[in-house]
């Protein structure tokens, strides 16, 4: 049984996302929102989790909130 779907892993880790290609995190945010919406459409009720933050970065979470990502996930 699948209990949750995680969207990405450590997205704010430079080894997991190219900040030069997406310095404002707009591409990542769009991808994460679309993934969260697709999961909800295919598996209503399945928990959608934004991948773990490494290192812990409240500014990154505020940025994701500003891009609307937190509206399309259930947990971080």
């Amino acid at each position: 049984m699948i209990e949750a779907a995680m969207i990405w892993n450590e997205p704010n880790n430079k080894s997991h996302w190219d900040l030069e290609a997406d310095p404002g995190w707009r591409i990542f945010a769009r991808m994460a929102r679309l993934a969260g919406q697709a999961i909800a459409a295919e598996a209503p009720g399945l928990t959608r989790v934004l991948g773990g933050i490494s290192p812990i970065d409240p500014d990154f979470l505020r940025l994701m909130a500003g891009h609307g990502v937190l509206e399309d996930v259930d947990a971080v």
Side-chain angles (χ1 to χ4, degrees):
M1 173 200 302
I2 298 174
E3 295 180 10
M6 183 172 72
I7 301 169
W8 216 259
N9 179 48
E10 299 180 351
N12 65 328
N13 187 319
K14 290 181 181 182
S15 67
H16 290 65
W17 192 257
D18 186 350
L19 295 175
E20 289 182 26
D22 186 21
W25 295 98
R26 285 177 174 74
I27 297 169
F28 175 82
R30 178 153 170 73
M31 182 273 309
R33 291 198 73 184
L34 290 171
Q37 293 166 9
I39 293 164
E42 291 298 318
L46 183 65
T47 301
R48 303 161 300 166
V49 181
L50 181 62
I53 309 304
S54 174
I56 301 301
D57 185 353
D59 290 329
F60 179 77
L61 293 178
R62 281 190 279 277
L63 182 62
M64 291 299 102
H67 285 308
V69 173
L70 301 185
E71 296 171 21
D72 292 305
V73 298
D74 302 303
V76 176

